[in-house]
Amino acid sequence: MFQGASAITLDAKGRMSIPAKHRDALAIQCEGRLTLTKHPDGCLLMYPRHVWEAKRDQIAAWPMSARGWQRILLGNASDVEMDSAGRILVAPELRDAVGLGREVVLSGMLTHFEIWDPARRAENEQQTIDVGMPDALSDFSF
């Protein structure tokens, strides 16, 4: 399970180093084979390949009324592999699509990761806080 946030700097070629705390798990779980795609909230999703393949099959089975969402998620999917230094290449098209610069935040979401521009992530979190706790979480206690 992946959790926690890591501040990462992309190199000049757009490569991102996977933090050591996740690198070994990804090497074991999926041999460093990952899939990146665009998320409508303005970040990238990064899945271990086997997790993505199950998700991809679910998305492919959606009805025609969800064709636009299929285009967003499947049409932007990019398979990548960690190199020997534990880095992945984030394609320029994906970086541009969500406004990633040199500084990014990798956020563990249990089965996958989100890759955010730090300012956009902070803005998204503030909007979530401003809206307040949804009714579905009314019984949850911290």
Side-chain angles (χ1 to χ4, degrees):
M1 294 295 172
F2 309 111
Q3 63 184 15
S6 301
I8 299 172
T9 301
L10 299 181
D11 70 12
K13 294 180 181 179
R15 293 178 298 194
M16 180 180 84
S17 290
I18 303 298
K21 65 182 178 182
H22 300 304
R23 191 178 305 151
D24 292 340
L26 289 170
I28 292 167
Q29 273 190 28
C30 61
E31 300 173 338
R33 298 176 337 140
L34 305 161
T35 300
L36 301 174
T37 193
K38 202 164 87 168
H39 188 282
D41 282 348
C43 66
L44 296 179
L45 299 171
M46 182 175 83
Y47 284 93
R49 184 79 46 81
H50 68 282
V51 176
W52 170 252
E53 288 170 350
K55 190 70 66 178
R56 179 193 62 203
D57 293 344
Q58 291 175 334
I59 295 166
W62 289 351
M64 285 300 293
S65 60
R67 184 55 115 188
W69 289 103
Q70 287 175 320
R71 283 188 191 103
I72 291 169
L73 295 166
L74 299 176
N76 289 291
S78 174
D79 293 336
V80 298
E81 293 191 21
M82 281 193 310
D83 65 15
S84 60
R87 299 173 301 193
I88 61 163
L89 177 64
V90 181
E93 297 83 7
L94 288 174
R95 292 192 315 261
D96 292 345
V98 298
L100 295 181
R102 281 185 44 81
E103 305 300 320
V104 301
V105 176
L106 180 71
S107 183
M109 300 297 292
L110 298 183
T111 61
H112 64 283
F113 297 89
E114 294 178 344
I115 304 170
W116 286 90
D117 168 78
R120 183 174 270 180
R121 180 174 186 257
E123 181 181 305
N124 180 276
E125 286 183 359
Q126 190 58 55
Q127 288 173 353
T128 300
I129 291 167
D130 291 347
V131 168
M133 224 25 130
D135 291 340
L137 300 181
S138 62
D139 293 334
F140 185 78
S141 174
F142 291 98

